[in-house]
Amino acid sequence: PKEENNDVANVSFVNGEIQMSFPDPKPSGVAVFARGGWQWIILSRPVGLSALEKKKNLKSLSIQSSQNGQIIRFELPKHRTATAWHEKGSWHIHWVKSPPESKKVLEEWNDKTGLHWTIPGSSPAFQITDPLLGDSLWIITTSDPTVSVPQTRQFALFSLEPTTLGLVVSSFQQNLPLTQDGDKVTLAAMGDRSSLSKDKQD
């Protein structure tokens, strides 16, 4: 089908920086993160991506569609970090040398039923296998441009990946008891869920 002009992604290269925009008037959910030298962008709604496919500057570009949206992956630009915001009906992602610090960190709490996070405007999780590292990823997009995870958090059976936007849980377990109820995401109790940075026992 022919792409509508107002629903097509745009990409440009300005002073060595990659700049992308994705039309999104609602806004709907996006996740942005880097791991293993690769940049990932997850969109919870379909957008025309022909502009990305035509750019030779995006190395090893991979685009996948799923029932939940689209998955974009390419080699991370050297010495650049993604920064993202929503403005005038579009998501904007620029890769810069010195990204601004996150204004807000993921809201999290822990009780006897499991580990919980609040993800405003979340969409159903994308569950994929990282083709390079071989682990499973559960990716939760967000419509709130301030929700991110600043650094890796390692637990016994899973990790929280650092993100520019959204929540990414990685694990070599094939299945995790991850559920969503509105804006609340819950990882049910699985025995030892304490962070390996504390409460570690021999």
Side-chain angles (χ1 to χ4, degrees), residues 104-122:
K104 181 178 174 182
V105 177
L106 196 66
E107 182 184 350
E108 176 185 298
W109 70 100
N110 195 353
D111 60 26
K112 62 183 180 181
T113 65
L115 196 56
H116 312 276
W117 302 279
T118 299
I119 315 285
S122 62

PDB file of all heavy atoms in Angstrom, residues 104-122:
ATOM      1  N   LYS A 104      13.265  11.895  34.618  1.00  0.00           N
ATOM      2  CA  LYS A 104      12.414  11.038  35.434  1.00  0.00           C
ATOM      3  C   LYS A 104      12.881   9.600  35.281  1.00  0.00           C
ATOM      4  O   LYS A 104      13.296   9.197  34.203  1.00  0.00           O
ATOM      5  CB  LYS A 104      10.965  11.189  34.957  1.00  0.00           C
ATOM      6  CG  LYS A 104       9.924  10.393  35.704  1.00  0.00           C
ATOM      7  CD  LYS A 104       8.564  10.715  35.099  1.00  0.00           C
ATOM      8  CE  LYS A 104       7.460   9.853  35.672  1.00  0.00           C
ATOM      9  NZ  LYS A 104       6.176  10.154  35.025  1.00  0.00           N
ATOM     10  N   VAL A 105      12.826   8.843  36.336  1.00  0.00           N
ATOM     11  CA  VAL A 105      13.233   7.445  36.284  1.00  0.00           C
ATOM     12  C   VAL A 105      11.988   6.582  36.485  1.00  0.00           C
ATOM     13  O   VAL A 105      11.024   6.995  37.123  1.00  0.00           O
ATOM     14  CB  VAL A 105      14.300   7.139  37.358  1.00  0.00           C
ATOM     15  CG1 VAL A 105      14.677   5.667  37.353  1.00  0.00           C
ATOM     16  CG2 VAL A 105      15.528   7.992  37.126  1.00  0.00           C
ATOM     17  N   LEU A 106      12.019   5.405  35.938  1.00  0.00           N
ATOM     18  CA  LEU A 106      10.915   4.467  36.028  1.00  0.00           C
ATOM     19  C   LEU A 106      10.409   4.310  37.457  1.00  0.00           C
ATOM     20  O   LEU A 106      11.184   4.131  38.389  1.00  0.00           O
ATOM     21  CB  LEU A 106      11.429   3.118  35.521  1.00  0.00           C
ATOM     22  CG  LEU A 106      10.443   2.048  35.144  1.00  0.00           C
ATOM     23  CD1 LEU A 106       9.629   2.468  33.939  1.00  0.00           C
ATOM     24  CD2 LEU A 106      11.212   0.778  34.834  1.00  0.00           C
ATOM     25  N   GLU A 107       9.089   4.386  37.633  1.00  0.00           N
ATOM     26  CA  GLU A 107       8.489   4.158  38.951  1.00  0.00           C
ATOM     27  C   GLU A 107       8.408   2.660  39.213  1.00  0.00           C
ATOM     28  O   GLU A 107       7.853   1.911  38.422  1.00  0.00           O
ATOM     29  CB  GLU A 107       7.087   4.772  39.004  1.00  0.00           C
ATOM     30  CG  GLU A 107       6.417   4.612  40.365  1.00  0.00           C
ATOM     31  CD  GLU A 107       4.993   5.147  40.380  1.00  0.00           C
ATOM     32  OE1 GLU A 107       4.590   5.809  39.404  1.00  0.00           O
ATOM     33  OE2 GLU A 107       4.292   4.868  41.371  1.00  0.00           O
ATOM     34  N   GLU A 108       8.974   2.217  40.324  1.00  0.00           N
ATOM     35  CA  GLU A 108       9.076   0.785  40.627  1.00  0.00           C
ATOM     36  C   GLU A 108       8.745   0.532  42.085  1.00  0.00           C
ATOM     37  O   GLU A 108       9.074   1.332  42.958  1.00  0.00           O
ATOM     38  CB  GLU A 108      10.499   0.315  40.333  1.00  0.00           C
ATOM     39  CG  GLU A 108      10.781  -1.135  40.698  1.00  0.00           C
ATOM     40  CD  GLU A 108      12.249  -1.502  40.481  1.00  0.00           C
ATOM     41  OE1 GLU A 108      12.718  -1.430  39.329  1.00  0.00           O
ATOM     42  OE2 GLU A 108      12.913  -1.841  41.472  1.00  0.00           O
ATOM     43  N   TRP A 109       8.090  -0.593  42.367  1.00  0.00           N
ATOM     44  CA  TRP A 109       7.906  -1.018  43.744  1.00  0.00           C
ATOM     45  C   TRP A 109       7.860  -2.541  43.798  1.00  0.00           C
ATOM     46  O   TRP A 109       7.607  -3.207  42.799  1.00  0.00           O
ATOM     47  CB  TRP A 109       6.673  -0.385  44.375  1.00  0.00           C
ATOM     48  CG  TRP A 109       5.340  -0.850  43.866  1.00  0.00           C
ATOM     49  CD1 TRP A 109       4.498  -1.749  44.445  1.00  0.00           C
ATOM     50  CD2 TRP A 109       4.678  -0.417  42.664  1.00  0.00           C
ATOM     51  NE1 TRP A 109       3.358  -1.913  43.686  1.00  0.00           N
ATOM     52  CE2 TRP A 109       3.437  -1.101  42.600  1.00  0.00           C
ATOM     53  CE3 TRP A 109       5.007   0.478  41.646  1.00  0.00           C
ATOM     54  CZ2 TRP A 109       2.536  -0.922  41.553  1.00  0.00           C
ATOM     55  CZ3 TRP A 109       4.113   0.663  40.604  1.00  0.00           C
ATOM     56  CH2 TRP A 109       2.898  -0.021  40.562  1.00  0.00           C
ATOM     57  N   ASN A 110       8.124  -3.071  44.979  1.00  0.00           N
ATOM     58  CA  ASN A 110       8.280  -4.506  45.183  1.00  0.00           C
ATOM     59  C   ASN A 110       7.403  -4.931  46.353  1.00  0.00           C
ATOM     60  O   ASN A 110       7.385  -4.266  47.392  1.00  0.00           O
ATOM     61  CB  ASN A 110       9.757  -4.800  45.483  1.00  0.00           C
ATOM     62  CG  ASN A 110      10.101  -6.271  45.351  1.00  0.00           C
ATOM     63  OD1 ASN A 110       9.232  -7.112  45.159  1.00  0.00           O
ATOM     64  ND2 ASN A 110      11.378  -6.594  45.470  1.00  0.00           N
ATOM     65  N   ASP A 111       6.640  -6.006  46.180  1.00  0.00           N
ATOM     66  CA  ASP A 111       5.891  -6.568  47.302  1.00  0.00           C
ATOM     67  C   ASP A 111       5.871  -8.089  47.163  1.00  0.00           C
ATOM     68  O   ASP A 111       6.555  -8.644  46.296  1.00  0.00           O
ATOM     69  CB  ASP A 111       4.477  -5.975  47.388  1.00  0.00           C
ATOM     70  CG  ASP A 111       3.640  -6.226  46.141  1.00  0.00           C
ATOM     71  OD1 ASP A 111       3.903  -7.222  45.426  1.00  0.00           O
ATOM     72  OD2 ASP A 111       2.726  -5.424  45.859  1.00  0.00           O
ATOM     73  N   LYS A 112       5.096  -8.754  47.996  1.00  0.00           N
ATOM     74  CA  LYS A 112       5.129 -10.223  48.009  1.00  0.00           C
ATOM     75  C   LYS A 112       4.603 -10.839  46.711  1.00  0.00           C
ATOM     76  O   LYS A 112       4.880 -12.003  46.422  1.00  0.00           O
ATOM     77  CB  LYS A 112       4.337 -10.765  49.199  1.00  0.00           C
ATOM     78  CG  LYS A 112       2.862 -10.411  49.190  1.00  0.00           C
ATOM     79  CD  LYS A 112       2.174 -10.932  50.443  1.00  0.00           C
ATOM     80  CE  LYS A 112       0.682 -10.580  50.435  1.00  0.00           C
ATOM     81  NZ  LYS A 112       0.010 -11.067  51.659  1.00  0.00           N
ATOM     82  N   THR A 113       3.863 -10.065  45.916  1.00  0.00           N
ATOM     83  CA  THR A 113       3.330 -10.606  44.663  1.00  0.00           C
ATOM     84  C   THR A 113       4.310 -10.469  43.507  1.00  0.00           C
ATOM     85  O   THR A 113       4.142 -11.112  42.472  1.00  0.00           O
ATOM     86  CB  THR A 113       2.013  -9.921  44.265  1.00  0.00           C
ATOM     87  OG1 THR A 113       2.260  -8.540  43.970  1.00  0.00           O
ATOM     88  CG2 THR A 113       0.989 -10.037  45.382  1.00  0.00           C
ATOM     89  N   GLY A 114       5.324  -9.627  43.656  1.00  0.00           N
ATOM     90  CA  GLY A 114       6.308  -9.475  42.586  1.00  0.00           C
ATOM     91  C   GLY A 114       6.884  -8.076  42.502  1.00  0.00           C
ATOM     92  O   GLY A 114       6.778  -7.274  43.436  1.00  0.00           O
ATOM     93  N   LEU A 115       7.498  -7.802  41.362  1.00  0.00           N
ATOM     94  CA  LEU A 115       8.121  -6.517  41.087  1.00  0.00           C
ATOM     95  C   LEU A 115       7.204  -5.770  40.118  1.00  0.00           C
ATOM     96  O   LEU A 115       6.740  -6.342  39.125  1.00  0.00           O
ATOM     97  CB  LEU A 115       9.495  -6.746  40.458  1.00  0.00           C
ATOM     98  CG  LEU A 115      10.501  -5.616  40.396  1.00  0.00           C
ATOM     99  CD1 LEU A 115      10.796  -5.038  41.769  1.00  0.00           C
ATOM    100  CD2 LEU A 115      11.797  -6.115  39.744  1.00  0.00           C
ATOM    101  N   HIS A 116       6.940  -4.492  40.403  1.00  0.00           N
ATOM    102  CA  HIS A 116       5.960  -3.736  39.632  1.00  0.00           C
ATOM    103  C   HIS A 116       6.580  -2.440  39.105  1.00  0.00           C
ATOM    104  O   HIS A 116       7.410  -1.818  39.771  1.00  0.00           O
ATOM    105  CB  HIS A 116       4.749  -3.380  40.502  1.00  0.00           C
ATOM    106  CG  HIS A 116       4.189  -4.526  41.282  1.00  0.00           C
ATOM    107  ND1 HIS A 116       3.300  -5.430  40.756  1.00  0.00           N
ATOM    108  CD2 HIS A 116       4.416  -4.922  42.564  1.00  0.00           C
ATOM    109  CE1 HIS A 116       2.983  -6.334  41.669  1.00  0.00           C
ATOM    110  NE2 HIS A 116       3.656  -6.056  42.771  1.00  0.00           N
ATOM    111  N   TRP A 117       6.136  -2.053  37.888  1.00  0.00           N
ATOM    112  CA  TRP A 117       6.550  -0.776  37.315  1.00  0.00           C
ATOM    113  C   TRP A 117       5.336  -0.053  36.753  1.00  0.00           C
ATOM    114  O   TRP A 117       4.388  -0.687  36.295  1.00  0.00           O
ATOM    115  CB  TRP A 117       7.546  -0.980  36.173  1.00  0.00           C
ATOM    116  CG  TRP A 117       8.778  -1.723  36.546  1.00  0.00           C
ATOM    117  CD1 TRP A 117       9.892  -1.224  37.175  1.00  0.00           C
ATOM    118  CD2 TRP A 117       9.062  -3.105  36.328  1.00  0.00           C
ATOM    119  NE1 TRP A 117      10.827  -2.200  37.352  1.00  0.00           N
ATOM    120  CE2 TRP A 117      10.354  -3.365  36.839  1.00  0.00           C
ATOM    121  CE3 TRP A 117       8.358  -4.156  35.738  1.00  0.00           C
ATOM    122  CZ2 TRP A 117      10.941  -4.625  36.784  1.00  0.00           C
ATOM    123  CZ3 TRP A 117       8.934  -5.411  35.682  1.00  0.00           C
ATOM    124  CH2 TRP A 117      10.214  -5.634  36.203  1.00  0.00           C
ATOM    125  N   THR A 118       5.385   1.261  36.779  1.00  0.00           N
ATOM    126  CA  THR A 118       4.363   2.066  36.119  1.00  0.00           C
ATOM    127  C   THR A 118       4.929   2.583  34.802  1.00  0.00           C
ATOM    128  O   THR A 118       5.947   3.279  34.789  1.00  0.00           O
ATOM    129  CB  THR A 118       3.931   3.259  37.000  1.00  0.00           C
ATOM    130  OG1 THR A 118       3.373   2.758  38.221  1.00  0.00           O
ATOM    131  CG2 THR A 118       2.891   4.102  36.292  1.00  0.00           C
ATOM    132  N   ILE A 119       4.275   2.221  33.704  1.00  0.00           N
ATOM    133  CA  ILE A 119       4.697   2.639  32.367  1.00  0.00           C
ATOM    134  C   ILE A 119       3.533   3.396  31.731  1.00  0.00           C
ATOM    135  O   ILE A 119       2.618   2.791  31.168  1.00  0.00           O
ATOM    136  CB  ILE A 119       5.056   1.432  31.473  1.00  0.00           C
ATOM    137  CG1 ILE A 119       5.912   0.422  32.219  1.00  0.00           C
ATOM    138  CG2 ILE A 119       5.725   1.906  30.191  1.00  0.00           C
ATOM    139  CD1 ILE A 119       7.333   0.841  32.417  1.00  0.00           C
ATOM    140  N   PRO A 120       3.523   4.736  31.804  1.00  0.00           N
ATOM    141  CA  PRO A 120       2.399   5.493  31.247  1.00  0.00           C
ATOM    142  C   PRO A 120       2.240   5.237  29.748  1.00  0.00           C
ATOM    143  O   PRO A 120       3.214   5.203  28.997  1.00  0.00           O
ATOM    144  CB  PRO A 120       2.791   6.951  31.510  1.00  0.00           C
ATOM    145  CG  PRO A 120       3.752   6.888  32.653  1.00  0.00           C
ATOM    146  CD  PRO A 120       4.506   5.612  32.468  1.00  0.00           C
ATOM    147  N   GLY A 121       1.002   5.019  29.331  1.00  0.00           N
ATOM    148  CA  GLY A 121       0.725   4.826  27.910  1.00  0.00           C
ATOM    149  C   GLY A 121       1.411   3.612  27.312  1.00  0.00           C
ATOM    150  O   GLY A 121       1.812   3.636  26.153  1.00  0.00           O
ATOM    151  N   SER A 122       1.538   2.536  28.105  1.00  0.00           N
ATOM    152  CA  SER A 122       2.232   1.348  27.601  1.00  0.00           C
ATOM    153  C   SER A 122       1.355   0.582  26.618  1.00  0.00           C
ATOM    154  O   SER A 122       0.125   0.653  26.652  1.00  0.00           O
ATOM    155  CB  SER A 122       2.633   0.434  28.756  1.00  0.00           C
ATOM    156  OG  SER A 122       1.482  -0.016  29.453  1.00  0.00           O
TER     157      SER A 122
END
